[in-house]
Amino acid sequence: MGVRRFPTSMIPKTNSALLIVGHGSTVNPDSSAPTLAHAAEIRRRKVFFDVECAFWKEEPSLRDALFLFDPEEVRVVYVVPNFISEGYFTETVIPRELELNGRITKRASGQIWKYCEPVGNHSMMTELRFQELAAEKKP
């Protein structure tokens, strides 16, 4: 069974960016590795004009992310929490730190930030996890 792909033709590559938000850790510097690898793969595929990461407990911070995308070059920023589900961080911390006032926030510059659901909410996540577990059981 193959992995379904997001229809990238729906995203204007010339003026949209992706911000992947992770928790990060002040204790384990490797905790951000999956988020950074995910961003690198999306960047390699050239789906967006720009792809960046921001973290609650690492650099660049969520507050720094407000300044990552030049509003003259990037008109729309898609914010995707790299979390397994909704919860305190996705419902309170991230919106507060990124100054989001709903699913769609229009900045004074005219730049639009679209707040997406956590990656863990996607229906494919359970299937992918089952595939990983099955692969781990094989000798």
Side-chain angles (χ1 to χ4, degrees):
M1 175 180 291
V3 175
R4 288 177 271 163
R5 305 264 181 225
F6 181 76
T8 58
S9 61
M10 295 171 56
I11 301 170
K13 296 175 188 171
T14 57
N15 67 356
S16 65
L18 175 65
L19 176 64
I20 303 175
V21 178
H23 189 280
S25 170
T26 57
V27 177
N28 179 1
D30 295 332
S31 71
S32 58
T35 300
L36 294 169
H38 194 68
E41 177 59 23
I42 295 170
R43 201 176 288 121
R44 184 190 68 77
R45 294 180 187 200
K46 299 181 177 165
V47 177
F48 293 91
F49 175 77
D50 194 5
V51 178
E52 298 292 340
C53 296
F55 301 92
W56 174 238
K57 294 284 185 180
E58 292 182 36
E59 297 295 326
S61 72
L62 292 173
R63 285 292 174 151
D64 292 340
L66 295 170
F67 308 101
L68 289 175
F69 307 105
D70 181 350
E72 296 297 318
E73 292 181 327
V74 175
R75 301 307 301 153
V76 179
V77 177
Y78 294 88
V79 179
V80 178
N82 197 19
F83 286 72
I84 197 162
S85 67
E86 294 160 329
Y88 177 71
F89 285 98
T90 62
E91 294 173 356
T92 303
V93 175
I94 295 168
R96 181 187 68 219
E97 296 299 308
L98 293 179
E99 300 174 4
L100 303 174
N101 53 26
R103 288 290 179 194
I104 298 176
T105 300
K106 188 170 185 178
R107 305 281 185 206
S109 65
Q111 192 176 60
I112 296 170
W113 286 48
K114 295 185 176 185
Y115 191 40
C116 305
E117 292 185 20
V119 295
N121 282 9
H122 194 282
S123 61
M124 288 295 297
M125 291 304 291
T126 302
E127 181 180 330
L128 291 173
R129 187 64 186 132
F130 282 138
Q131 289 175 8
E132 288 174 350
L133 289 171
E136 289 174 10
K137 290 182 180 180
K138 291 181 182 178

